[in-house]
């Protein structure tokens, strides 16, 4: 029996490929409340149903950085499980509102990859991740560069 594999090696990423991540998450009121308290985001649109009912969406809006954090987390088993580091996050776009009770699903497109210029045991993968709700509406997207180990390290460890 083989143990589960955490992440992909640099060589396994294919430019143009799409990964439909298997993890999903329904956002509960407790998730939003805890995240609001933890991050000190006390804006009433995230924590006060009466206040939120008199604003644009008419109900509590989930904190955008919670949606971002969940989307990143749901990619870990596939994208950054073998990562040395996430080098940057860019072009973070909130494409639609997320509400209590919404379920998030995530996919990642491999945009580019290149070998490291300074170390031959790693490479940089450039990806775009898109989160969608249960209705198939895209609600968040972001791009990042991830420094990923090459598989050659795996075979080097076996020789020891």
């Amino acid at each position: 029996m083989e143990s589960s594999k955490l992440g992909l090696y640099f060589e396994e990423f294919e430019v143009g490929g799409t990964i439909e991540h298997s993890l999903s998450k329904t956002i509960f009121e407790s998730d939003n409340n805890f995240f609001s308290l933890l991050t000190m985001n006390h804006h009433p649109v995230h924590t006060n149903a009466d206040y939120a009912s008199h604003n644009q969406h008419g109900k509590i809006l989930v904190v955008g950085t919670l949606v971002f954090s969940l989307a990143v987390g749901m990619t870990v088993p596939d994208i950054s499980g073998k990562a040395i580091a996430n080098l940057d996050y860019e072009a973070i776009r909130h494409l639609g509102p997320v509400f209590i009770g919404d379920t998030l699903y995530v996919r990642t497109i491999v945009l580019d990859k290149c070998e490291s210029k300074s170390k031959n045991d790693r490479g940089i993968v450039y990806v775009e991740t898109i989160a969608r709700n249960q209705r198939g509406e895209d609600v968040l997207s972001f791009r990042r560069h991830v420094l990923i180990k090459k598989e050659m390290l795996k075979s080097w460890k076996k020789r020891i």
Side-chain angles (χ1 to χ4, degrees):
M1 188 177 229
E2 216 175 298
S3 65
S4 64
K5 178 175 148 178
L6 180 61
L8 300 172
Y9 287 104
F10 174 78
E11 296 88 345
E12 296 176 283
F13 285 92
E14 295 179 21
V15 174
T18 298
I19 299 166
E20 290 285 343
H21 302 287
S22 60
L23 296 178
S24 59
K25 171 74 172 116
T26 299
I27 301 175
F28 300 106
E29 185 175 19
S30 57
D31 299 324
N32 191 59
N33 288 343
F34 183 67
F35 193 85
S36 294
L37 291 170
L38 184 66
T39 59
M40 299 182 68
N41 184 342
H42 302 278
H43 194 289
V45 78
H46 303 305
T47 60
N48 182 318
D50 182 51
Y51 177 89
S53 73
H54 300 292
N55 281 276
Q56 179 176 346
H57 300 293
K59 56 185 171 179
I60 288 180
L61 187 65
V62 172
V63 178
T65 49
L66 172 56
V67 177
F68 173 71
S69 295
L70 289 170
V72 170
M74 287 189 271
T75 70
V76 169
D78 303 309
I79 302 299
S80 56
K82 300 267 190 285
I84 297 165
N86 284 301
L87 300 175
D88 63 30
Y89 292 94
E90 63 182 35
I92 301 167
R93 293 187 174 89
H94 297 276
L95 306 171
V98 176
F99 304 108
I100 306 299
D102 280 353
T103 301
L104 298 178
Y105 301 90
V106 181
R107 71 184 180 279
T108 297
I109 302 160
V110 180
L111 301 174
D112 199 9
K113 70 182 209 177
C114 65
E115 309 230 357
S116 170
K117 293 177 182 159
S118 58
K119 297 187 179 182
N120 66 356
D121 65 342
R122 60 195 70 184
I124 298 168
V125 178
Y126 183 46
V127 296
E128 179 174 31
T129 298
I130 301 113
R132 67 187 179 283
N133 62 23
Q134 68 278 7
R135 292 178 298 283
E137 302 161 339
D138 291 345
V139 295
L140 178 92
S141 69
F142 61 91
R143 293 180 176 199
R144 64 180 159 154
H145 291 89
V146 188
L147 187 61
I148 308 269
K149 297 174 192 173
K150 287 187 175 179
E151 195 165 16
M152 60 190 267
L153 285 178
K154 185 173 132 185
S155 40
W156 177 79
K157 285 182 181 179
K158 284 182 180 177
R159 288 184 279 161
I160 296 177

